[in-house]
Structures are given as structure tokens and as C-alpha cells.
Amino acid sequence: MQIYRSGLLRFADDHSALYEEDGLLAVGPDAQGRQLVQAAGAWHALAPEYAQWPVVHWSGRIIAPGFIDMHMHFPQTDVIGSPADGLLPWLENYTFPHESRFADPAYAAGVAIVFLDELLRNGVTTALTFATSHPASVDALMNEAQARGLRLIAGKVLQDRHSPDGVRDETRQSLLDTEALIGRWHGKDRLGYAITPRFAPSCTEAQLRGAGELAARYPDVWVQSHVAENKDEIRWARELFPAARSYLAVYDDFGLMRERAVYAHCIHFDDADRALMRDTGAVAAVSPTSNLFLGSGFFDYAGADRVGFRYGLASDVGGGTSFSPFHTMLAAYYVGREGQTKPGLSLSPQALWWQHTAGAAQALGLTGVIGNLQPGCEADFVVLDPGATPLLARKTAHAANLDELLFALIVLGDDRVIERTVISQAK
Ligand SMILES: [Zn+2]
């Protein structure tokens, strides 16, 4: 057993944050040797019970759940910050040419190292990420994540039409490759697989149908795609699938909406779309830095809450502009201002933080596994330095309550706040 003494942030079942200024986190192995949280709470209350174990004392620091990024593209690590006039030109001019390089396994392996280094430097302990259409790109990332003991979910992109040479795959082979990758990686150590149609316009009906059949045959495998990001994209999807009620409904028509199905963006929805999300158990990966950068629009938080479908936060690197969960939470706060009808904060700091930790875990079907530091959770956590920069030190020193402390970190924080990232099963 290892005992940590520090400030301690975690979440209650009602999504509110619990904070101990002087906290105790006990981490120890279960019967299978997995490092789990054994106890979490106030130091004075728990210390007598754990007195025989060694203590690491991080004075003036805060232990918090590792962040979960619900939507990323690991091959776009080097595409961040590429200027383009909206989604479709950005794909054509930057993303597809870059992703074609991942046919080379050595190149893919090199980027996988950089990508995972960058996640951990920013305090992200689990990501749901696209690879490219090349199966070797999945192997490269999974091998590296497995060596680091990470909980990570990824999938080979399916795109058998409207895609240039070098990234376009072949319908039948793409489905065989997907099933082989599920067998190779899903449930291995802490890894999970996601069936990954890029977006409906890039997939033939046969490919979407095959993806839906796999989604039915492997119900605990994730599904990930994009929807309703950009108005030109929506117009194109409607032309290609005229029989569908909406762009989102295309996925439902092919059996791709269910629990563990994660759709990035979900911006331009009507209430029938929102109800479809709710009724199927599909969830949204809200990607505010990407939506602001590409001018795609604003996720409608009020609409999502009114109808009642689940969502969590995501960077959408490389359409997104930062690996940092602090930047994503701040951008979500800006987005929440759009169309706001009630006075007050757009989103509370506790709600923003929850959406990037325990809320993201809930959306992924991993409540009680990751995203929190309650007993039984896997011990993935970050150690935050609330004095990482001079201004942040002043702001956090004067914080009168937890909301002020969390808001200072969200607004002023970045990778400098992440003093260390601890993974449950480090090598
Ligand atoms: Zn994306």
C-alpha cells in the first residue's frame, strides 16, 4: 500500500466536487495486482487507520483524477494549428496528406511516442482516439500504450470513399481488418477498441452496414465518429443519404448508435436528434477548441440538458488547438456563453472539471473505473501545482472557496500546472 498526503479533489455521485485541503489517498493492489484506490478522504480521519504504510507528502499540491479526453486523432499531432477555411478544406489540404504517411509503421510508432508523451505531460490519462485507415497505425499506438500501462481506446479509421489515395481503404478488407484488430487489442491489459467510421460522407453504405454489424456482434467495443460539425458537411451528408431523417439518423439507420457510441461535435442538432442520442445511449464528445478554431459552431449545452443526453469534453487534436484539459475547459466555458438564457456562469468550474474526468468516464461507460478517485477506481491521477506560475500562485492563494480555486486553474492553467502524472499500472 502507498499513502499520498496532499490536497485531494474527487467527485460525488451527484457530480459535485469533493475537496480536502489536507487529504489522504491510499493506493494498493487488488487480487489481480491492479493498483486501485483503497481509501480517499480527510487526512485526520483516515491517517490512524493507514499509519503502518509509507507516506509520500506533496505539500501545497493537489491530487486530482487524471483527465479523460473523449475525442482525439493521434495521427494529427503534427496537424495542430494548420490554417484552413473550415472543416472540408482542412481535411483535404492538411489532414489527409499527413495521415497518408502512417502507412509506414515506423513513422506511426514515432508519432505514437510523441502523442502519448504529450497526453501525460498534460495530465490526460485516458484518451479515445482515432488512428488512421492503416491497421499498422493502431498497432503502433496500442503497443506503446500497453508498454506504459495506459487505459486507452483507439480504432482504425474506416473511409472507403470520398478520400484520396493513400488514406482510402477497401470495403471488405477494412471490415476484416477491424475485426482482427478487435481480437488483437480489445480487453488486452487496459486497452479498448473503437469501431471508427471517419464520418458518414467518407463511408459507403456497405461499409457503414458492416461497421454496424460489428457493433452488434461486439457490444462492449466502442464506436466513434463525427456528426453535425459543420454546415457544408451536413449538406453533403444529406445529399448522400437522402432517405435518412437527419445526418445523425444515418448512423442509427446502420446500427451505429448504442451505449459506448461516441459522436464528436453534435453541434447542429434538432430536438429529434437530441432525443435519438438520449434514447440510444449514444454520447457526445464536446470539442470546443476545435469548434472555435474551425468556425464550426457552438455546442448547445442547454439543449443537451433539456432533452437529457450525455456528453463529456474532448480536445479533438489536431482540429483542436491544445492537448491541455485546462484550455479545453476554458473554451467550453466560452461556448456555454453562446445562447445562454439564464443569468450567471455559463458552466460552473465543478461542472467543467467533471465533464473532463468523472463525467467523461460515465459517458464512456467507465464509471467507477477511471475519472474519479473513489475507492475501487484505478489509480490514474495528476499532481497539480496551484502555484505553477506567478499569477496563478497569487490567484489560488486568495481563492475563498473551491469554485474560485478551480476557476483560477481552468482560466490560467496549462501543462505547467501538471507537476506529475501517475498511472495505475506503470511499467
Ligand atoms: Zn475529430
Side-chain angles (χ1 to χ4, degrees):
M1 189 97 73
Q2 178 66 57
I3 309 301
Y4 301 97
R5 182 178 188 179
S6 166
L8 177 63
L9 179 72
R10 66 215 150 94
F11 290 90
D13 290 343
D14 68 357
H15 310 175
S16 63
L18 303 169
Y19 183 64
E20 309 292 343
E21 210 168 293
D22 186 12
L24 181 150
L25 183 74
V27 175
D30 69 355
Q32 288 82 46
R34 300 179 307 159
Q35 292 292 323
L36 302 182
V37 174
Q38 304 290 340
W43 173 265
H44 67 84
L46 293 172
E49 195 182 331
Y50 293 90
Q52 75 272 36
W53 303 105
V55 178
V56 172
H57 189 182
W58 285 312
S59 181
R61 303 294 188 266
I62 300 166
I63 291 175
F67 290 102
I68 298 169
D69 195 321
M70 285 183 62
H71 176 72
M72 306 187 81
H73 299 258
F74 108 81
Q76 295 174 19
T77 299
D78 295 313
V79 180
I80 283 187
S82 299
D85 182 21
L87 171 68
L88 300 178
W90 176 84
L91 281 171
E92 187 181 322
N93 296 329
Y94 290 101
T95 302
F96 289 154
H98 192 79
E99 289 194 7
S100 69
R101 301 180 69 177
F102 286 72
D104 174 4
Y107 185 78
V111 176
I113 291 169
V114 175
F115 175 77
L116 295 179
D117 282 352
E118 202 62 23
L119 285 187
L120 295 173
R121 234 170 48 68
N122 282 282
V124 177
T125 50
T126 289
L128 173 57
T129 179
F130 282 46
T132 64
S133 57
H134 317 97
S137 70
V138 176
D139 292 331
L141 183 64
M142 293 294 207
N143 275 317
E144 188 61 30
Q146 187 177 39
R148 299 176 190 224
L150 293 177
R151 183 169 283 285
L152 186 107
I153 306 164
K156 172 206 133 48
V157 172
L158 299 167
Q159 52 180 122
D160 66 349
R161 67 167 168 172
H162 300 138
S163 306
D165 292 347
V167 295
R168 189 178 59 255
D169 59 11
E170 188 276 316
T171 312
R172 188 168 167 278
Q173 188 61 42
S174 72
L175 298 168
L176 292 172
D177 287 342
T178 295
E179 191 158 22
L181 288 164
I182 291 170
R184 196 176 310 152
W185 294 114
H186 186 70
K188 293 287 153 61
D189 294 341
R190 302 179 76 201
L191 304 174
Y193 193 82
I195 298 163
T196 309
R198 180 163 213 121
F199 64 147
S202 73
C203 304
T204 60
E205 295 198 5
Q207 194 176 44
L208 290 172
R209 193 172 303 114
E213 285 165 9
L214 289 171
R217 201 176 313 150
Y218 298 97
D220 64 334
V221 163
W222 283 267
V223 174
Q224 58 180 348
S225 194
H226 299 93
V227 74
E229 175 178 5
N230 168 291
K231 292 199 169 145
D232 292 337
E233 169 217 18
I234 293 170
R235 204 171 303 120
W236 192 22
R238 301 303 300 270
E239 285 166 18
L240 293 169
F241 300 93
R245 194 206 70 82
S246 68
Y247 179 6
L248 179 69
V250 172
Y251 296 111
D252 191 44
D253 292 346
F254 289 101
L256 289 164
M257 293 189 70
R258 59 157 169 72
E259 296 283 334
R260 294 196 168 199
V262 180
Y263 287 89
H265 310 303
C266 303
I267 295 171
H268 307 284
F269 270 4
D270 60 19
D271 271 355
D273 290 326
R274 295 185 182 101
L276 185 58
M277 293 290 286
R278 178 195 62 207
D279 296 344
T280 57
V283 300
V286 182
S287 307
T289 73
S290 171
N291 300 157
L292 295 171
F293 181 70
L294 291 172
S296 302
F298 304 89
F299 180 76
D300 183 348
Y301 278 100
D305 291 342
R306 185 182 68 248
V307 177
F309 71 85
R310 288 172 298 161
Y311 52 81
L313 283 174
S315 67
D316 191 25
V317 161
T321 51
S322 175
F323 278 79
S324 175
F326 299 105
H327 290 179
T328 300
M329 290 188 285
L330 179 57
Y333 182 76
Y334 296 149
V335 164
R337 280 279 187 225
E338 177 73 14
Q340 186 183 351
T341 51
K342 285 182 281 187
L345 302 180
S346 77
L347 294 157
S348 76
Q350 295 187 29
L352 290 164
W353 211 290
W354 185 82
Q355 286 174 36
H356 227 336
T357 53
Q362 183 192 73
L364 292 174
L366 293 171
T367 294
V369 180
I370 53 172
N372 208 342
L373 293 173
Q374 301 288 22
C377 289
E378 295 174 351
D380 289 343
F381 63 89
V382 291
V383 181
L384 308 176
D385 178 4
T389 69
L391 186 58
L392 187 61
R394 287 175 67 85
K395 280 293 293 180
T396 55
H398 296 125
N401 54 46
L402 179 59
D403 280 343
E404 289 187 10
L405 174 67
L406 296 181
F407 225 158
L409 289 163
I410 288 169
V411 173
L412 297 174
D414 55 30
D415 54 308
R416 291 169 290 183
V417 172
I418 307 294
E419 190 166 272
R420 70 179 71 215
T421 301
V422 178
I423 295 300
S424 173
Q425 289 183 320
K427 198 165 64 160

